[in-house]
Amino acid sequence: MQMTMRWFGPVEDKIPLAHIRQVPGVEGVVGALYDVPVGEVWPQDKVRALADQVQQAGLKMEVIESVNIHDDIKIGLPSRDRFIANYQQTIRHLAEIGIKVICYNFMPVFDWMKTEMNYVLPDGSVTMAFEKKGIDKTLDEVVKEVLENSNGFALPGWEPERLAKVQELFAKYKDVDENTLRQNLVYFLERVIPVCEEVGIKMAIHPDDPPYSIFGLPRIVKNRDDLDWICNAVNSEANGITLCTGSIAEDPDNNVYEILAEFTRRRRIHFAHVRNIKLIQDKDFYESAHLSRYGSLDMYEVMKALHDNGFNGYIRPDHGRFIWGETGRPGYGLYDRALGVTYLHGLWEALEKRH
């Protein structure tokens, strides 16, 4: 297990690398470029500059989250071949700086969905939440609310310039059902996985967030069967998973522990986002502190499923609350994620010493 924390870069992240380095047990950061339009090649000089900055801070960067997939690829438009070629070149550039895993998703329009960005818990901490009543509005209203409550930060997957035309974007997806979206994912993977095998990078798809349809959009990374289908569709270890415990657990029908155990055994979980959520009612939830007692997941069982089945990939605490007066990018305060790191390390050490 290699512990990391997500870092949004010197411009987009208020947390300096020097502070991340002081979190015990953190070996590296998960980075990305945010000033390159989706679909364009990540320039060699920019990825090199980012890697150098991380290395100079005494950390590693071996995971990228995310190289986003252009909508034309997901929709299956003729222009997708140009964007796939660009993606292939980006993979090559990332391999040159030592990247081992690329996290990505294949969700139409929205990369993730929360309805409350500043949900206040009884202890006064602030977190993110999802309530289905929060999306019983027009598309424009939902987009406006999320963007206005981002605390002034650009949110990956919610780029204002892209979502300014959300109705137009939805119209492009009108003929894309789950079967079509699956076909378009396979088309993409069949072209990028050989490049990954050539340069030693693994792709790791992130589950849908939430793992069920909203606004009538198709979802194809929802559960165990979807993950199994994806792994078999292009049967290569380079075609793997970012297993996000929070996203999978958002559907109570998913057995998170069994999914973790199976796909770890199959050597397909290359990256794990480990977070806890508290299911409120039905499928409404908020993102809780990492400790088992505060959420709906048994985090010991989460880590046990990874440990006992040979997980040796990258891991990061996922979204944290704002505590101790901290403000910033929703979900990405330093303090609560640092507590999550320490807790996960403690569970792992206990598992290592059981016998």
Side-chain angles (χ1 to χ4, degrees):
M1 178 188 75
Q2 299 181 60
M3 183 65 72
T4 64
M5 291 183 75
R6 193 173 187 182
W7 184 62
F8 291 88
V11 176
E12 293 288 340
D13 206 318
K14 64 181 286 187
I15 299 167
L17 288 170
H19 289 182
I20 292 176
R21 191 184 181 194
Q22 293 171 9
V23 180
V26 171
E27 301 177 46
V29 296
V30 176
L33 296 180
Y34 297 99
D35 60 347
V36 179
V38 174
E40 299 306 312
V41 177
W42 285 20
Q44 195 172 32
D45 60 336
K46 288 191 175 185
V47 297
R48 174 64 64 188
L50 181 64
D52 288 347
Q53 186 172 12
V54 172
Q55 187 174 18
Q56 288 164 12
L59 293 162
K60 297 186 293 186
M61 186 181 68
E62 297 181 353
V63 181
I64 290 293
E65 182 184 345
S66 301
V67 182
N68 287 330
I69 312 291
H70 196 278
D71 285 296
D72 289 10
I73 297 173
K74 299 175 188 176
I75 297 166
L77 299 178
S79 52
R80 65 181 171 179
D81 290 329
R82 179 174 75 84
F83 293 117
I84 290 174
N86 288 348
Y87 208 102
Q88 292 169 327
Q89 189 58 45
T90 294
I91 290 171
R92 295 186 180 99
H93 286 172
L94 292 173
E96 290 173 2
I97 62 164
I99 298 302
K100 305 299 182 187
V101 173
I102 295 173
C103 170
Y104 72 105
N105 73 71
F106 216 73
M107 286 179 264
V109 185
F110 305 112
D111 279 12
W112 50 270
M113 174 62 72
K114 299 293 183 292
T115 59
E116 177 58 67
M117 309 297 285
N118 296 289
Y119 186 90
V120 181
L121 297 177
D123 64 2
S125 60
V126 177
T127 190
M128 296 192 290
F130 177 86
E131 296 177 290
K132 289 193 297 299
K133 68 179 182 181
I135 58 171
D136 292 336
K137 304 171 183 176
T138 68
L139 280 173
D140 291 326
E141 286 175 330
V142 170
V143 170
K144 183 173 182 287
E145 284 186 11
V146 171
L147 295 180
E148 286 182 350
N149 289 282
S150 65
N151 299 340
F153 289 86
L155 303 175
W158 286 79
E159 295 80 9
E161 65 277 4
R162 176 171 168 268
L163 293 180
K165 300 180 179 179
V166 69
Q167 297 287 358
E168 182 180 320
L169 191 55
F170 256 78
K172 292 181 179 179
Y173 278 97
K174 66 182 176 61
D175 296 323
V176 179
D177 58 15
E178 287 196 357
N179 183 58
T180 302
L181 193 61
R182 285 193 180 96
Q183 291 174 3
N184 294 340
L185 173 59
V186 173
Y187 186 94
F188 169 75
L189 290 173
E190 285 177 340
R191 286 152 182 81
V192 300
I193 292 300
V195 178
C196 290
E197 292 172 333
E198 172 192 329
V199 300
I201 278 182
K202 295 175 181 176
M203 297 292 289
I205 195 167
H206 189 287
D208 298 328
D209 184 5
Y212 45 83
S213 178
I214 56 173
F215 297 115
L217 294 167
R219 289 286 200 244
I220 60 172
V221 198
K222 309 177 298 299
N223 50 41
R224 181 266 166 200
D225 289 346
D226 285 349
L227 294 172
D228 178 61
W229 177 85
I230 290 166
C231 290
N232 292 331
V234 178
N235 192 12
S236 165
E237 194 172 314
N239 174 29
I241 301 163
T242 295
L243 204 295
C244 177
T245 59
S247 295
I248 287 292
E250 288 164 17
D251 185 344
D253 291 336
N254 285 331
N255 188 316
V256 177
Y257 319 116
E258 288 183 1
I259 291 171
L260 281 165
E262 175 184 348
F263 290 96
T264 299
R265 284 195 304 272
R266 292 170 62 173
R267 299 180 61 83
R268 292 301 184 94
I269 299 180
H270 305 317
F271 187 25
H273 291 179
V274 181
R275 62 182 168 101
N276 209 344
I277 64 167
K278 181 66 175 179
L279 292 164
I280 307 169
Q281 59 179 1
D282 193 11
K283 295 178 181 178
D284 292 350
F285 68 92
Y286 62 80
E287 297 186 336
S288 68
H290 280 74
L291 274 70
S292 301
R293 75 188 72 166
Y294 292 108
S296 297
L297 285 173
D298 184 328
M299 300 305 281
Y300 177 82
E301 292 298 328
V302 165
M303 297 302 281
K304 184 173 182 288
L306 291 167
H307 179 277
D308 290 1
N309 291 283
F311 179 73
N312 63 356
Y314 302 89
I315 188 170
R316 72 170 176 86
D318 209 357
H319 305 154
R321 304 163 298 143
F322 283 135
I323 60 175
W324 305 335
E326 188 179 22
T327 60
R329 181 188 301 275
Y332 287 97
L334 174 65
Y335 306 145
D336 198 42
R337 286 189 296 153
L339 293 177
V341 165
T342 302
Y343 178 58
L344 298 179
H345 264 302
L347 290 174
W348 194 267
E349 182 175 338
L351 288 162
E352 293 273 81
K353 294 180 175 179
R354 276 178 308 174
H355 307 299

